[in-house]
């Protein structure tokens, strides 16, 4: 049993009683932990604003038995509470946080996941990036950082790198060239637009601070969103209530009807 200090982002909060709060924190190292914040909501409490949803703070914790943590001190570093000014942005950020929590572990470091979420929240809060492309980029890169990188460089059947037009399977994460798609069929595959393919490569190859630094429009924007969502849900192996809520507010880019032409 000891005290430790770490930095982390609050990705879930649950108030109970008159004064207490449980929070889930995605640490700077990329682990998610549960923290009991005793008395944090009492009148005049000075730490309450550091342990709100979407706050990035320095936390001093008492580490008890069986991975139980209790808050001792909290100092706010940055708040992304501005995302709550739009219900659509708030719903999206709840989904991104839930997905990040699901894809991280309590005992295994995943610092890339934490950085991806922080940059996504900043992009959405600043309103300088399209929400739909931020969502797509986060989903795909998080899956890649979790060990599920799709193979986009060559046809999975014949091995050619000359694939235009390219057919991609959002469940298997592999491509087929046009000849193999014609010969074997392309059930479950999607014919990528050139802009969609370029965006996929950008998301997978850029340094994390630049992952969200691109723009798409028209059919390519919707196709990318649908592909990345399908890919994330396949490898997460579950659905998310927060995603359902987000699509109820902003149905654009949902999987059905947005994937494009199929053979």
């Amino acid at each position: 049993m000891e005290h430790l200090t770490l930095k982390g982002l609050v990705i879930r909060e649950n108030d109970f009683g008159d004064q207490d709060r449980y929070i889930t924190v995605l640490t700077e190292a990329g682990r998610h932990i549960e923290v009991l914040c005793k008395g944090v909501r009492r009148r005049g409490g000075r730490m309450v604003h550091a342990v709100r949803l979407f706050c990035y703070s320095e936390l001093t914790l008492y580490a008890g038995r069986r991975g139980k943590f209790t808050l001792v001190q909290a100092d706010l570093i940055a708040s992304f509470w501005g995302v709550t000014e739009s219900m659509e942005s708030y719903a999206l950020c709840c989904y991104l946080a839930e997905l990040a929590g699901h894809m991280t572990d309590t005992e295994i470091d995943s610092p890339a996941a934490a950085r991806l979420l922080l940059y996504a929240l900043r992009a959405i809060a600043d309103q300088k990036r399209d929400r739909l492309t931020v969502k797509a980029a986060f989903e795909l890169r998080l899956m890649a950082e979790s060990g599920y990188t799709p193979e986009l460089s060559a046809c999975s059947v014949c091995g050619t790198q000359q694939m235009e037009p390219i057919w991609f399977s959002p469940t298997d994460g592999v491509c087929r060239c046009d000849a193999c798609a014609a010969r074997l069929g392309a059930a479950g595959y999607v014919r990528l637009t050139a802009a969609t393919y370029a965006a996929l490569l950008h998301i997978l190859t850029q340094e994390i601070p630049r992952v969200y630094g691109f723009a798409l429009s028209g059919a390519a924007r919707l196709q990318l969103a649908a592909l990345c969502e399908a890919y994330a849900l396949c490898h997460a192996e579950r659905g998310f209530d927060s995603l359902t809520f987000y699509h109820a507010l902003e149905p654009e880019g949902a999987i059905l009807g947005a994937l494009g032409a199929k053979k």
Side-chain angles (χ1 to χ4, degrees):
M1 295 181 285
E2 59 179 349
H3 287 80
L4 70 155
T5 299
L6 53 81
K7 295 177 182 178
L9 176 74
V10 179
I11 60 173
R12 185 168 61 231
E13 62 181 4
N14 181 30
D15 292 342
F16 68 99
D18 295 329
Q19 300 180 348
D20 302 332
R21 172 177 293 168
Y22 267 112
I23 59 174
T24 302
V25 176
L26 183 62
T27 70
E28 184 179 37
R31 300 186 183 196
H32 68 260
I33 59 173
E34 306 294 325
V35 180
L36 172 61
C37 306
K38 292 183 177 179
V40 74
R41 294 164 48 232
R42 67 167 58 98
R43 185 183 297 274
R46 57 188 177 82
M47 294 189 293
V48 65
H49 296 297
V51 291
R52 297 177 70 189
L53 185 64
F54 304 138
C55 286
Y56 185 65
S57 301
E58 183 173 88
L59 308 173
T60 299
L61 308 174
Y62 174 75
R65 297 175 180 175
R66 300 179 182 176
K68 303 293 185 181
F69 296 94
T70 302
L71 183 69
V72 176
Q73 177 65 36
D75 297 295
L76 181 67
I77 298 172
S79 171
F80 300 98
W81 195 243
V83 301
T84 62
E85 294 177 3
S86 160
M87 184 60 74
E88 293 82 2
S89 293
Y90 171 71
L92 174 57
C93 291
C94 286
Y95 163 61
L96 300 185
E98 188 178 6
L99 181 61
H102 176 69
M103 297 304 297
T104 53
D105 194 84
T106 59
E107 299 181 354
I108 300 174
D109 289 346
S110 182
R115 295 184 69 208
L116 276 169
L117 184 55
L118 286 169
Y119 277 103
L121 292 178
R122 178 183 293 176
I124 294 169
D126 290 348
Q127 300 181 23
K128 295 180 180 179
R129 299 291 180 189
D130 172 51
R131 280 194 298 259
L132 204 59
T133 53
V134 171
K135 172 181 173 291
F138 179 83
E139 289 169 324
L140 181 63
R141 186 60 177 263
L142 179 64
M143 292 303 114
E145 297 291 349
S146 301
Y148 304 109
T149 304
E151 176 52 63
L152 300 175
S153 62
C155 174
S156 62
V157 180
C158 69
T160 182
Q161 296 181 349
Q162 305 300 316
M163 293 188 289
E164 295 185 8
I166 299 170
W167 295 81
F168 176 70
S169 167
T171 55
D172 296 333
V174 296
C175 294
R176 285 183 181 177
C177 66
D178 201 43
C180 288
R183 180 168 58 88
L184 300 175
Y189 284 72
V190 178
R191 181 171 175 170
L192 301 179
T193 71
T196 301
Y197 182 65
L200 291 172
L201 293 179
H202 173 96
I203 294 166
L204 293 172
T205 59
Q206 292 296 313
E207 296 293 325
I208 288 177
R210 300 187 61 188
V211 164
Y212 306 108
F214 69 98
L216 283 180
S217 60
R221 173 175 171 268
L222 297 179
Q223 186 181 66
L224 178 74
L227 284 171
C228 293
E229 180 177 301
Y231 192 72
L233 294 181
C234 175
H235 291 291
E237 298 184 327
R238 53 160 289 191
F240 297 89
D241 290 341
S242 54
L243 178 61
T244 301
F245 178 54
Y246 168 68
H247 280 315
L249 299 171
E250 198 163 62
E252 186 181 44
I255 294 174
L256 295 177
L259 289 178
K262 299 181 180 180
K263 279 191 178 179

